[in-house]
Amino acid sequence: MEVNLKLADELKEKIENCRKCSLWRFRKKVIVGEGPIPSDFFFLGQNPGKMENELGRPFVGRAGKYLDKLLSLAGLSREEIYLTGAVRCPTPRNRRPTTKEIKACSEFLKLQLKAVNPKLIVAMGGVALEALQIKNKVTKIHGKILEFRGIKVFVTFHPSAAMRFPKIRKHSFEDFKKLRDFQNR
Ligand code: SF4
């Protein structure tokens, strides 16, 4: 437990000082992640939006509220999960992070997985998949379980996509219900 917390502190310091890609210029408050350490569930999103950047917390805007709703379908709450994004700094006009930016930030993801030591990573959206080196589309593999460095990965859509598109919403609801089943295994 102590080792995990030490790793988490190291990670915070590293992210605060990181200039590995040009996105550092847009960073206001550092987002490391939120949730218990260690934790069985590691939820991985994209990158901070405007509100997240102001407050230094992941998923605090509308997508965050939507995530809470999805979590309740899985029988989970924020207090039980670890939550973070694949890219730690915001992008201009909230564009999708580039492959180069995702790669530059991946060192933090690996360190964080070591600290949190989850049983399951929930990859939400294409950027999360790319960060986990899974070369496939969410539309093709959502609801399935894959693997990253020996850890199981459950694939689903990003909550923002589920919030905006009714067709995706339906699949997203089904995925999160499956996640409930996963806990009961
Ligand atoms: S996005 Fe990641 S790699 Fe780029 S500056 Fe921020 S912390 Fe560093």
Side-chain angles (χ1 to χ4, degrees):
M1 176 81 127
E2 210 169 281
V3 178
N4 295 25
L5 292 172
K6 197 169 167 269
L7 265 171
D9 284 346
E10 269 174 37
L11 186 68
K12 187 170 186 287
E13 205 184 317
K14 277 183 187 240
I15 298 175
E16 270 168 353
N17 295 308
C18 181
R19 290 190 176 189
K20 272 168 64 184
C21 79
S22 61
L23 295 180
W24 72 268
R25 295 169 202 278
F26 305 99
R27 182 173 65 215
K28 286 189 180 166
K29 279 205 176 147
V30 170
I31 299 182
V32 180
E34 224 170 64
I37 295 178
S39 174
D40 285 351
F41 294 94
F42 188 104
F43 280 69
L44 186 65
Q46 190 170 314
N47 60 291
K50 197 169 175 279
M51 240 166 121
E52 283 84 7
N53 194 30
E54 298 285 345
L55 300 171
R57 292 186 56 211
F59 284 91
V60 285
R62 280 180 65 218
K65 285 213 174 82
Y66 208 79
L67 174 64
D68 292 342
K69 191 172 159 176
L70 293 170
L71 284 174
S72 69
L73 290 176
L76 288 167
S77 69
R78 285 228 193 184
E79 291 70 40
E80 297 168 85
I81 64 157
Y82 193 86
L83 179 62
T84 192
V87 172
R88 311 311 162 114
C89 300
T91 55
R93 291 175 302 282
N94 212 19
R95 65 157 168 77
R96 188 190 202 275
T98 62
T99 296
K100 218 171 146 190
E101 289 158 354
I102 296 169
K103 216 171 166 190
C105 224
S106 65
E107 176 207 342
F108 303 125
L109 176 61
K110 285 168 202 154
L111 271 174
Q112 208 155 23
L113 283 170
K114 216 170 161 187
V116 177
N117 193 24
K119 286 189 183 143
L120 184 74
I121 302 170
V122 180
M124 302 183 290
V127 172
L129 277 195
E130 198 175 333
L132 296 168
Q133 294 158 16
I134 296 169
K135 291 181 177 63
N136 215 328
K137 291 200 161 128
V138 182
T139 44
K140 291 217 170 109
I141 54 169
H142 73 93
K144 294 199 170 27
I145 292 186
L146 308 172
E147 212 183 277
F148 177 74
R149 296 181 165 225
I151 309 169
K152 286 191 169 77
V153 179
F154 182 82
V155 182
T156 189
F157 297 89
H158 192 278
S160 305
M163 194 172 71
R164 286 167 57 205
F165 306 109
K167 253 191 186 169
I168 290 182
R169 193 174 308 147
K170 185 177 159 271
H171 294 306
S172 183
F173 281 10
E174 283 161 9
D175 290 348
F176 273 79
K177 282 180 193 159
K178 265 192 200 164
L179 210 47
R180 181 191 285 265
D181 300 340
F182 181 86
Q183 290 177 73
N184 298 330
R185 271 181 214 176

